[in-house]
């Protein structure tokens, strides 16, 4: 364990925290007392866990949640190197009720960078108040988010397309100063080719307040440019004729854009401030969100909204006046030690512990902002509300996934995410076992049917053709497990990402598993190679 007061090193790996960058050093904005160095997951990044409130769930409890296909979100995280992907992911891990690693890879720990895409099961229990505006189908208040951490370096970009096969949505992280990078644009194009619905978070917003010291209007224009740059890519894949996928562009006023500061642990969507001010102006939250973005200005002197600037000094844009300026004021009061901070926090309903109130400067600012606008709340809300479940996504993704006729029973089972249909399990990649050299596990997603221990399945390569010369091999599924502790389960329904242990010499990288009696089943469509598009994009 980490000893923060003494040598700040981990007993299990002897890794010294001082080798981290300055942005990762203490003080951390977490009111927690226990740290754990998770080498297998975060490559020398320290994951913070709650000491007392996190209760380890049993395997049976986790397995029950996986039956609720409408409460599952399979999400890839897209970001350029240095844009804050790992930091934001850590906050999602901290906020989860329980965390189960889907796989691990030793190369990531040895090289200190994500080389292979990795998965992690995050379980959240949401309150009724949190879900009161949710209009989709759901089964209870517990959600499973399968977060897929993909490589951020172009040298390992061959791993990226394989991760999109098992994801339905994407969390795109962009630096507010650097904007949308070429690598992020390439990853977005690949995701959209697979009909992955994106949401965007504009990260490192703290730089606007602390480093660049921008006024509200200039900060708005920079954020707007980032959103327009992303939408320029997304608009090329817009399919208005599709009733399921529809418009994939991101809009702050629709809740598909978040504004975050991963270093300090805070984030918000316009929903946060719409809830604060909707009752004040006598409108619903949706109307208030529209007023907080775009050409909407409010003059407190006349108490009127207009769609243009009136020229009055008191007339300001809605986003600037009701979102940016309150955050700027609180950050300034924290760092400068002004007495007006505590009355303002009282009005916002933010409570601080007595020992936290004794903090000053940047430490106080981190604690206050993390308590007021926790990053995990905004990001989890955006993923649950805006990204599709497997039951919804497979309705329009089936034509990209299944190679055979779309009227066949296999395509229908994938489209309906039917747990009682024929088994279609896509193996995305093979994971080498750390403890047993030469042993591999198959990481993938169940598209239809249910997989169970002891089931005999048939392996199809991506280029297999029914009735062709190439044979399908029959193997026995020995173990189904979830989490890094290899917790075994008896069976698992479609919509979930899991790991299987089977006879692996027939699988090189990708494969499709189906029932042995399904002799006319077609494989899942092979991924298209996009190396040429990457080269052309780099030249541009």
């Amino acid at each position: 364990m980490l000893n923060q007061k003494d040598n700040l090193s981990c007993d299990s790996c002897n890794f010294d925290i001082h080798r981290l960058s300055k942005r990762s050093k203490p003080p951390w904005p977490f009111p927690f007392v226990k740290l754990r160095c998770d080498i297998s997951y975060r490559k020398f990044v320290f994951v913070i866990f709650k000491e007392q409130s996190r209760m380890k769930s049993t395997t049976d409890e986790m397995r029950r949640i996986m039956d609720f296909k409408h409460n599952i979100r399979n999400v890839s995280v897209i970001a350029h190197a240095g844009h804050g992907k790992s930091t934001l992911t850590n906050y999602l891990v901290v906020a989860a009720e329980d965390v189960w690693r889907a796989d691990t890879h030793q190369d990531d720990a040895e090289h200190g960078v994500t080389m292979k895409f990795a998965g992690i099961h995050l379980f959240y229990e949401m309150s009724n108040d949190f879900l009161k505006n949710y209009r989709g189908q759901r089964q209870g208040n517990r959600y499973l988010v399968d977060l897929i951490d993909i490589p951020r370096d172009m040298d390992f970009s061959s791993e990226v397309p394989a991760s999109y096969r098992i994801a339905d949505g994407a969390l795109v992280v962009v630096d507010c100063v650097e904007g949308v990078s070429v690598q992020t644009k390439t990853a977005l194009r690949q995701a959209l080719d697979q009909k992955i619905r994106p949401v965007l978070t504009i990260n490192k917003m703290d730089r606007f307040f602390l480093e660049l010291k921008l006024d509200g209007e200039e900060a708005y224009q920079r954020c707007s440019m980032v959103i327009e740059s992303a939408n320029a890519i997304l608009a090329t894949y817009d399919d208005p004729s599709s009733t399921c996928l529809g418009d994939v562009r991101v809009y702050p006023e629709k809740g598909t854009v978040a504004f975050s500061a991963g270093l300090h642990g805070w984030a918000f969507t316009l929903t946060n401030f719409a809830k604060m001010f909707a009752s004040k102006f006598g409108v619903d939250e949706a109307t208030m969100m529209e007023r907080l973005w775009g050409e909407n200005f409010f003059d407190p002197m006349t108490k009127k909204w207009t769609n243009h600037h009136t020229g009055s000094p008191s007339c300001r844009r809605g986003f600037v006046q009701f979102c940016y300026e309150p955050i700027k004021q609180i950050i300034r009061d924290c760092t400068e030690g002004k007495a007006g901070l505590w009355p303002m926090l009282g009005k916002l309903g933010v409570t601080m512990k007595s020992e936290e109130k004794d903090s000053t400067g940047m430490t106080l600012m981190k604690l206050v902002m993390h308590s007021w606008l926790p990053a995990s709340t905004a990001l989890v809300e955006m993923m649950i509300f805006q990204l599709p479940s497997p039951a919804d996504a497979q309705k329009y993704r089936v034509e990209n996934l299944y190679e055979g006729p779309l009227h066949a029973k296999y395509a229908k089972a994938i489209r309906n995410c039917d747990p009682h249909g024929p088994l279609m399990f896509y193996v995305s990649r093979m994971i080498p076992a750390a403890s047993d050299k030469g042993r591999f596990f198959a990481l993938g997603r169940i598209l239809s049917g249910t997989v169970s221990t002891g089931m005999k399945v048939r392996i199809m390569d991506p280029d297999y053709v029914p009735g062709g010369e190439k044979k399908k091999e029959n193997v026995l599924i020995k173990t189904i497990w979830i989490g890094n502790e290899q917790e075994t389960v008896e069976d698992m329904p479609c919509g979930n990402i899991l790991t299987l242990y089977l006879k692996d010499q027939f699988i090189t990288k990708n494969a499709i598993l189906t029932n042995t009696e399904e002799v006319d089943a077609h494989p899942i469509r092979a991924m298209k190679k996009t190396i040429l598009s990457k080269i052309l994009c780099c030249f541009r």
Side-chain angles (χ1 to χ4, degrees), residues 426-490:
Y426 178 74
V427 178
S428 187
R429 74 178 181 91
M430 300 300 290
I431 308 167
S435 58
D436 186 2
K437 292 185 178 180
R439 182 183 180 187
F440 285 80
F441 300 102
L443 173 68
R445 171 172 166 177
I446 311 173
L447 298 173
S448 68
T450 300
V451 64
S452 59
T453 302
M455 173 186 288
K456 199 170 186 180
V457 296
R458 186 168 292 186
I459 300 176
M460 296 185 291
D461 288 333
D463 57 350
Y464 171 80
V465 178
E469 296 181 358
K470 197 165 186 178
K471 295 182 179 180
K472 296 189 290 185
E473 301 291 348
N474 294 344
V475 296
L476 187 70
I477 296 177
K478 295 183 178 180
T479 310
I480 305 172
W481 57 270
I482 55 176
N484 202 33
E485 303 297 330
Q486 299 187 12
E487 300 287 348
T488 60
V489 293
E490 291 298 321

Side-chain angles (χ1 to χ4, degrees), residues 1 20 25 39 43 57 63 150 172 202 238-239 242 245 282 293-294 298 312 349 383 488 501 539:
M1 300 306 300
L20 295 175
K25 287 183 179 179
I39 290 295
K43 297 79 65 177
S57 301
R63 171 61 186 83
I150 64 176
V172 185
I202 303 176
D238 189 13
D239 185 12
S242 175
L245 188 60
W293 193 257
F298 181 74
S312 171
M383 289 189 292
T488 60
Y501 173 48
F539 273 114

